[in-house]
Amino acid sequence: MQKVAQKTNLSSLHVLKTLKVLLQGNFSMHELIDKLNSNEEDLVFNNSVVSKYINTCRFVGIDIQKMQNKYYVARMPFGLNLSDFDLDIIKSLQIAVTNDKQTKNQVIFDSFISKINKYSNKDIVHVKCDNISLSVELFERALAKKRKLNLLFKNQSNLECIPLKITNDKGKVFFVVYNKRKRIIDSARLSGIYLLDDKFIDPYCGDMVTIYKLKGDLAKRYEIRENETCEQNSDGSVTITNKNENKQILFSRLLRYQDLCEIMQPKVYREEFKQIINQILMNYGIK
């Protein structure tokens, strides 16, 4: 019997191995490398190649997030198509589990919600004290994508709203939202958060346009967002025009670019950004 010639693309195989491990849970880069190398004869996985494989997954539409130094799959580009009826059932389950107050059932339900999130067309977070960071991450994602939220309260009511910002007071997390008027919601009142498909325009920003310049290697590797356009400059830098991104989210992102980023317009943003940087330098005793 004639053997069929086969050629294995090792890089593609390693990408799939990386995705398989990521689907098993949330892991730090060190944990990912250890798990991947445990099934190999040689140490073929390291920080550089795993980062490359994660970015490959992101390129094909797999939403891989990093939170508290751990990577996890937030969304696959295929899977369950949840209807409004399905969501109503999940809401009823959330209410039942919340009222039951048994730790074991809450753990099982949180695991169920986590799996649903990875393979469904809806973002769902069951809000509780030890996973408030996930709720904050989902709220920030709604801000970045300009999508409305549905907040489910422990008293079984719900509120469809526009996310505005997150605030902290005495260790408590509050969500500032808009529904006919601005509202401040204590996260402790919530039992669930749903990210809706409906887009919104920030009622307090209008058509805000921010222009900033990126330099160096960042200019070459920067991937523009849906709400951005890019213009190449003769000195190798790029000028980004950003429309209607929430200021809090935008500033948080631009601060990570350090001296490779400069806000050009509007002037009020430029001055406020300078003040934030100066305050950070003062906090670290740098003048």
Side-chain angles (χ1 to χ4, degrees):
M1 182 176 179
Q2 185 179 3
K3 291 185 178 181
V4 178
Q6 291 183 334
K7 182 179 179 181
T8 301
N9 186 318
L10 287 179
S11 293
S12 298
L13 183 60
H14 289 162
V15 168
L16 293 175
K17 287 181 178 179
T18 302
L19 178 59
K20 181 181 178 181
V21 172
L22 284 168
L23 286 170
Q24 295 172 4
N26 304 349
F27 303 109
S28 67
M29 178 60 72
H30 179 73
E31 290 169 337
L32 277 173
I33 294 170
D34 283 348
K35 285 180 174 293
L36 288 164
N37 281 327
S38 65
N39 296 318
E40 303 292 332
E41 293 182 1
D42 301 314
L43 300 179
V44 297
F45 291 93
N46 56 46
N47 194 308
S48 176
V49 297
V50 173
S51 295
K52 181 174 69 174
Y53 298 151
I54 288 174
N55 287 332
T56 300
C57 292
R58 288 169 171 164
F59 180 77
V60 298
I62 299 171
D63 187 3
I64 298 177
Q65 301 286 337
K66 181 181 180 183
M67 186 172 64
Q68 296 179 342
N69 291 321
K70 290 185 179 288
Y71 294 87
Y72 67 96
V73 177
R75 178 63 56 82
M76 300 287 281
F78 46 81
L80 299 172
N81 183 21
L82 295 179
S83 65
D84 290 340
F85 178 74
D86 296 327
L87 288 178
D88 287 339
I89 293 176
I90 293 175
K91 289 178 184 178
S92 298
L93 285 172
Q94 280 194 335
I95 293 170
V97 171
T98 300
N99 292 338
D100 184 57
K101 296 181 180 180
Q102 290 191 27
T103 303
K104 179 182 177 181
N105 291 339
Q106 289 179 348
V107 170
I108 294 173
F109 186 78
D110 286 342
S111 176
F112 165 71
I113 289 295
S114 178
K115 292 175 182 177
I116 286 288
N117 269 333
K118 289 180 182 179
Y119 297 104
S120 78
N121 61 332
K122 305 290 184 182
D123 288 291
I124 310 166
V125 164
H126 181 212
V127 181
K128 44 185 282 192
C129 296
D130 56 1
N131 79 342
I132 191 63
S133 58
L134 288 177
S135 307
V136 170
E137 189 272 336
L138 181 59
F139 195 93
E140 290 179 341
R141 195 188 310 170
L143 281 170
K145 294 184 176 182
K146 293 198 170 298
R147 286 167 60 181
K148 293 181 180 180
L149 289 171
N150 190 5
L151 305 181
L152 179 66
F153 293 87
K154 292 178 179 178
N155 65 4
Q156 302 186 22
S157 65
N158 63 74
L159 176 69
E160 183 174 317
C161 58
I162 293 173
L164 296 178
K165 64 179 181 179
I166 301 169
T167 62
N168 293 272
D169 183 35
K170 298 179 181 179
K172 289 187 175 182
V173 175
F174 295 87
F175 297 125
V176 183
V177 301
Y178 181 85
N179 178 291
K180 297 182 181 179
R181 60 181 176 83
K182 185 184 290 188
R183 301 167 184 258
I184 301 175
I185 308 296
D186 186 347
S187 61
R189 296 176 55 203
L190 300 176
S191 62
I193 297 179
Y194 296 81
L195 186 60
L196 303 176
D197 294 328
D198 296 340
K199 294 273 188 175
F200 71 86
I201 297 177
D202 192 330
Y204 294 100
C205 76
D207 293 326
M208 176 59 73
V209 176
T210 306
I211 299 175
Y212 55 91
K213 182 184 290 187
L214 303 176
K215 301 174 287 186
D217 290 338
L218 179 61
K220 299 176 183 178
R221 68 174 188 271
Y222 183 77
E223 297 181 5
I224 63 172
R225 273 64 174 171
E226 292 181 359
N227 60 321
E228 294 180 334
T229 57
C230 176
E231 180 181 349
Q232 297 285 339
N233 301 319
S234 58
D235 60 358
S237 66
V238 294
T239 300
I240 306 296
T241 300
N242 177 294
K243 294 184 178 180
N244 292 333
E245 183 167 355
N246 179 272
K247 184 175 70 173
Q248 182 183 9
I249 299 297
L250 177 64
F251 277 19
S252 177
R253 178 161 61 86
L254 298 187
L255 279 170
R256 296 200 299 268
Y257 302 153
Q258 301 179 23
D259 60 344
L260 296 179
C261 174
E262 179 184 2
I263 292 183
M264 312 301 292
Q265 295 180 15
K267 186 177 180 180
V268 63
Y269 274 22
R270 180 180 174 88
E271 295 303 317
E272 186 174 347
F273 203 68
K274 283 182 179 180
Q275 292 176 10
I276 293 173
I277 294 174
N278 289 335
Q279 185 62 50
I280 292 173
L281 293 175
M282 287 176 61
N283 291 341
Y284 286 91
I286 302 173
K287 297 181 179 180

